[in-house]
Amino acid sequence: MALHKGSERHDVRTVSVNPFYGEANPVGGMTEAPPTHRLPDAPLPPSTAYQLVHDELMLDGNARLNLATFVTTWMEPQAGVLMTECRDKNMIDKDEYPRTAELERRCVAMLADLWNAPDPAAAVGCSTTGSSEACMLAGMALKRRWAKRNADRYPSERPNLVMGINVQVCWEKFCNFWEVDARLVPMEGERFHLDPQAAVELCDENTIGVVGILGSTFDGSYEPIADLCAALDALQERTGLDIPVHVDGASGGMVAPFLDEDLVWDFRLPRVASINCSGHKYGLVYPGVGWALWRDREALPDELVFRVNYLGGEMPTFALNFSRPGAQVVAQYYTFLRLGREGFRAVQQSTRDVARSLADRIAALGDFRLLTRGDELPVFALTTADDITSYDVFDVSRRLREGGWLVPAYTFPAHREDLSVLRIVCRNGFSHDLADLFVDDLTRLLPELRRQPHPLTRDKGAATGFHH
Ligand SMILES: *Cc1c(COP(=O)(O)O)cnc(C)c1O
């Protein structure tokens, strides 16, 4: 979570209290303004406390206009009811809540089937708080497998992980936290994600694995997982190096199985050892759930799995957290049961349709060049056309905020630092109607933007947040 500093003036700042709220205070009649940065001395009545917190949160944004985030912002009321019913269930307490544990197991089995595990009964997996935790677990499994195979060189030599420079920040975290060198394939020309040959050239005997991303965070494009596996097969033939692949399917893991059935990216490729996805992205569940799966027990070294009996039972677990809410896992099971394959296909197809038509309409305005078209993930990136000199993507992002639209602008990494883009993430709930409103707003801004003498956004970092 954000690393916060304590308040320097905690004795001065207070929460302002509407005099109406004070009535509920049985003692003093009027509620005294409670401090914001230290515990108040005395309790407040629940209705007053509720109103104060509620009022403060009104200033948060409208998530439906947020085209920056991948994370689910709408679920059906029934899912909300189930989550409320489960909010006191602790996921780790498998003995007290065996049915919740069973629903988690079923979700893993469904994903093993969806991702074509050759023997679904042999596949193992778990829920996590999101893809980041799932990637930590998958990376740890890769590292441990490599260390066991190379006991003669570890720890004297440092392991490395090969991936595109477009990886999500969780992979940089993994490498930092677990002391693994990140070997990054840079972008080149109009290639904005990993190139299989360039990846193979970075591999050596200390490579614990290669990460392929199904759905790049930067532009929504799928990385060529099958070509990557083929290039690694060829490497093995040449050198004997047998390097496993992890697929980061944070978004695409719940898109490709429904919309791109012919695309071979999953456990059908023998080299794919593990896959993760975010249940709270295109898995259509509120924030707080991800999944990690390994093709078989060999891919997940058993010594990483813990069996504790403090809470009764002896359920094996693999996780960074101990206690965790069960509601999201229950909501994931609900979503699987509710939609089935046909339902998921329909929902994801309509999201992709919105993305593709929005991309086409933005391209037709003439001021922009599309880098991607929303035909893989329902996500696309665009930049200003070459002849646009009066404004840049940061100006567009800043001006769109006036209408409540959150569209991040950011620069690309090496070797395309020269390129700045806007990214639009379409999610379930972003309808054709909202897309119409968005195009109207953007169209209305263009004449003013074109009249600018030059790009105007000075503080480019502050103008626009880049949300993964
Ligand atoms: C979002 C994302 C992550 C991190 O997922 P969280 O569920 O937010 O932790 C990892 N990899 C990719 C490709 C992503 O898009």
Side-chain angles (χ1 to χ4, degrees):
M1 284 301 103
L3 193 58
H4 300 287
K5 287 193 297 191
S7 166
E8 280 150 27
R9 304 179 59 211
H10 61 83
D11 47 332
V12 192
R13 296 205 48 204
T14 56
V15 185
S16 62
V17 183
N18 182 331
F20 269 108
Y21 301 166
E23 262 190 356
N25 186 335
V27 190
M30 266 315 168
T31 299
E32 222 177 283
T36 51
H37 288 77
R38 64 176 169 80
L39 276 177
D41 294 332
L44 287 172
S47 58
T48 310
Y50 171 81
Q51 274 303 333
L52 291 178
V53 179
H54 175 84
D55 290 358
E56 181 120 25
L57 291 175
M58 275 190 338
L59 298 177
D60 276 344
N62 178 347
R64 295 287 282 279
L65 301 183
N66 185 340
L67 301 182
T69 182
F70 286 80
V71 173
T72 301
T73 48
W74 180 84
M75 289 187 81
E76 294 169 314
Q78 289 83 349
V81 172
L82 271 174
M83 290 181 79
T84 308
E85 288 169 9
C86 297
R87 66 186 157 196
D88 58 342
K89 296 194 182 182
N90 186 354
M91 204 62 233
I92 195 72
D93 205 344
K94 316 251 180 225
D95 208 39
E96 174 75 15
Y97 306 116
R99 301 322 298 168
T100 308
E102 168 63 14
L103 299 191
E104 181 189 32
R105 211 173 64 84
R106 289 183 199 169
C107 287
V108 167
M110 287 180 183
L111 288 171
D113 176 55
L114 191 67
W115 294 340
N116 297 296
D119 177 5
V124 285
C126 56
S127 69
T128 61
T129 50
S131 277
S132 300
E133 187 188 4
C135 294
M136 298 300 140
L137 300 180
M140 269 158 52
L142 290 176
K143 185 181 174 190
R144 184 60 61 93
R145 285 176 66 189
W146 171 85
K148 288 210 303 192
R149 281 197 312 271
N150 296 279
D152 52 327
R153 284 203 311 283
Y154 183 72
S156 60
E157 290 182 36
R158 211 172 140 96
N160 68 72
L161 181 66
V162 172
M163 52 206 166
I165 197 162
N166 52 308
V167 285
Q168 210 262 1
V169 66
C170 71
W171 289 106
E172 293 165 45
K173 288 188 192 173
F174 168 76
C175 289
N176 183 341
F177 297 168
W178 272 271
E179 304 191 316
V180 171
D181 284 338
R183 292 202 176 160
L184 302 172
V185 177
M187 294 182 172
E188 219 58 74
E190 293 297 292
R191 170 173 66 68
F192 303 119
H193 59 217
L194 177 131
D195 171 67
Q197 215 44 54
V200 164
E201 279 159 26
L202 292 179
C203 291
D204 60 22
E205 63 279 8
N206 292 337
T207 302
I208 63 172
V210 181
V211 176
I213 316 170
L214 204 70
S216 170
T217 322
F218 280 84
D219 64 2
S221 62
Y222 290 164
E223 291 194 329
I225 311 289
D227 290 349
L228 173 64
C229 289
L232 288 165
D233 290 346
L235 176 76
Q236 184 173 8
E237 255 167 53
R238 273 200 320 277
T239 65
L241 288 177
D242 181 8
I243 299 177
V245 166
H246 172 82
V247 180
D248 180 352
S251 300
M254 291 303 290
V255 175
F258 306 110
L259 301 188
D260 310 290
E261 281 178 281
D262 296 336
L263 182 74
V264 179
W265 64 275
D266 54 18
F267 289 125
R268 281 169 283 181
L269 298 164
R271 198 166 284 282
V272 171
S274 46
I275 301 174
N276 70 276
C277 84
S278 295
H280 54 220
K281 291 185 176 172
Y282 292 100
L284 307 175
V285 176
Y286 284 138
V289 64
W291 300 94
L293 266 75
W294 290 263
R295 69 184 300 117
D296 51 37
R297 270 159 215 288
E298 223 174 293
L300 173 58
D302 194 53
E303 67 268 25
L304 294 175
V305 176
F306 281 78
R307 290 168 182 81
V308 295
N309 56 8
Y310 323 129
L311 298 172
E314 273 273 337
M315 186 78 87
T317 62
F318 189 28
L320 298 182
N321 302 61
F322 188 64
S323 301
R324 190 156 66 76
Q328 282 80 0
V329 168
V330 171
Q332 184 77 81
Y333 183 71
Y334 167 84
T335 308
F336 286 167
L337 192 67
R338 160 86 173 89
L339 290 176
R341 278 189 190 246
E342 282 310 315
F344 260 103
R345 187 169 297 126
V347 169
Q348 314 299 43
Q349 184 66 53
S350 77
T351 309
R352 183 182 276 177
D353 290 346
V354 170
R356 289 173 61 163
S357 93
L358 182 59
D360 286 347
R361 291 170 63 191
I362 291 175
L365 295 174
D367 280 30
F368 300 102
R369 178 166 72 85
L370 297 182
L371 270 50
T372 42
R373 319 193 67 89
D375 50 4
E376 292 184 329
L377 293 188
V379 170
F380 57 97
L382 57 141
T383 187
T384 43
D386 290 341
D387 57 339
I388 300 291
T389 51
S390 60
Y391 69 91
D392 62 14
V393 293
F394 298 95
D395 292 330
V396 179
S397 176
R398 184 171 47 81
R399 294 297 312 272
L400 281 170
R401 260 177 198 249
E402 294 166 15
W405 302 105
L406 277 191
V407 178
Y410 49 93
T411 47
F412 268 18
H415 298 143
R416 288 307 311 266
E417 296 98 330
D418 59 303
L419 183 61
S420 300
V421 305
L422 294 159
R423 186 192 64 194
I424 293 182
V425 176
C426 297
R427 286 170 289 127
N428 177 41
F430 185 66
S431 58
H432 281 290
D433 293 346
L434 277 169
D436 286 347
L437 290 176
F438 179 81
V439 174
D440 289 350
D441 275 2
L442 182 60
T443 308
R444 207 168 19 241
L445 287 176
L446 290 184
E448 276 178 52
L449 286 165
R450 288 181 194 135
R451 279 200 299 276
Q452 289 184 180
H454 50 77
L456 293 179
T457 308
R458 246 170 281 145
D459 190 355
K460 305 206 188 274
T464 160
F466 174 29
H467 300 268
H468 288 284

